[in-house]
């Protein structure tokens, strides 16, 4: 199942987007944390099918909320390294946004910095094609990998999510405050 966590603008208190969080609802034990099932999905390759489902589901939910008169908030879906590596990744995103039936599909994707750095040139090429489809792209956990600012300037990003290790003590650590700024 997908749960939708709000993204809040701290200056206004308004919700500016959502992040789709995948959970496995086991009938016997209830909600299984992602750290227990996502690695298994990646290892077996099932993450491709489940990831495609998550994108389509988020786009469908976005359309349903719009039809109900709610504001069109973008919904971010995390993408696995297994998905990004695939040659048909862009086609998978195209199929997901086609569910909306209109250009306002509301899909954003989030990828980790380390995922992009594994095959920088291929990743940048795919992300440019996805961005051209109107999909927002965010790097998650920025600062934990080994990317350079040179690559960062070439990426078609709409958001950069700085890892919490820098944010949690930025008011007491001037180096972290400099990085966040």
């Amino acid at each position: 199942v997908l749960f939708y966590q709000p993204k809040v603008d701290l200056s206004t208190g308004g919700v500016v987007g959502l992040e789709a969080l995948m959970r496995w609802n086991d009938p016997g034990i209830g909600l299984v944390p992602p750290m227990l099932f996502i690695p298994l999905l990646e290892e077996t390759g099932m993450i491709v099918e489940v990831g495609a489902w998550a994108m389509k589901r988020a786009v469908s939910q976005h359309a349903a909320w719009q039809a109900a008169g709610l504001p069109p908030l973008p919904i971010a879906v995390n993408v696995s390294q297994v998905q990004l590596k695939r040659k048909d990744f862009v086609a998978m995103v195209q199929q997901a946004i086609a569910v909306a039936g209109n250009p306002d599909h509301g899909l954003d994707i989030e990828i980790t910095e380390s995922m992009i750095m594994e095959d920088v040139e291929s990743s940048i090429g795919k992300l440019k094609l996805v961005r051209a489809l109107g999909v927002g792209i965010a790097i998650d956990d920025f600062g934990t990998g080994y990317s350079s600012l040179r690559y960062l300037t070439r990426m078609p990003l709409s958001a950069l999510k700085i890892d919490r290790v820098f944010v949690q003590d930025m008011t007491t650590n001037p180096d972290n405050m400099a990085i966040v700024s």
Side-chain angles (χ1 to χ4, degrees), residues 80-104:
S80 161
Q81 187 170 15
V82 175
Q83 290 172 280
L84 185 61
K85 280 183 174 180
R86 290 180 57 100
K87 291 180 182 176
D88 65 346
F89 174 70
V90 176
M92 184 186 318
V93 174
Q94 286 174 315
Q95 290 171 2
I97 64 177
V99 169
N102 66 60
D104 187 13

Side-chain angles (χ1 to χ4, degrees), residues 58-161:
V59 169
S60 294
Q61 186 63 67
H62 181 268
W65 283 334
Q66 275 192 299
L70 296 171
L73 299 173
I75 301 174
V77 175
N78 290 302
V79 170
S80 161
Q81 187 170 15
V82 175
Q83 290 172 280
L84 185 61
K85 280 183 174 180
R86 290 180 57 100
K87 291 180 182 176
D88 65 346
F89 174 70
V90 176
M92 184 186 318
V93 174
Q94 286 174 315
Q95 290 171 2
I97 64 177
V99 169
N102 66 60
D104 187 13
H105 49 74
L107 182 65
D108 286 354
I109 61 171
E110 292 189 3
I111 51 181
T112 62
E113 175 186 13
S114 57
M115 282 174 43
I116 294 172
M117 297 313 295
E118 188 165 301
D119 185 356
V120 176
E121 295 305 323
S122 175
S123 295
I124 289 173
K126 290 175 187 175
L127 294 176
K128 284 182 177 180
L129 293 171
V130 167
R131 186 75 174 118
L133 298 170
V135 175
I137 300 171
I139 292 184
D140 200 2
D141 301 329
F142 183 75
T144 60
Y146 300 100
S147 67
S148 74
L149 293 178
R150 183 179 78 111
Y151 287 124
L152 194 60
T153 63
R154 293 181 48 214
M155 294 179 201
L157 303 177
S158 48
L160 187 65
K161 294 175 69 176

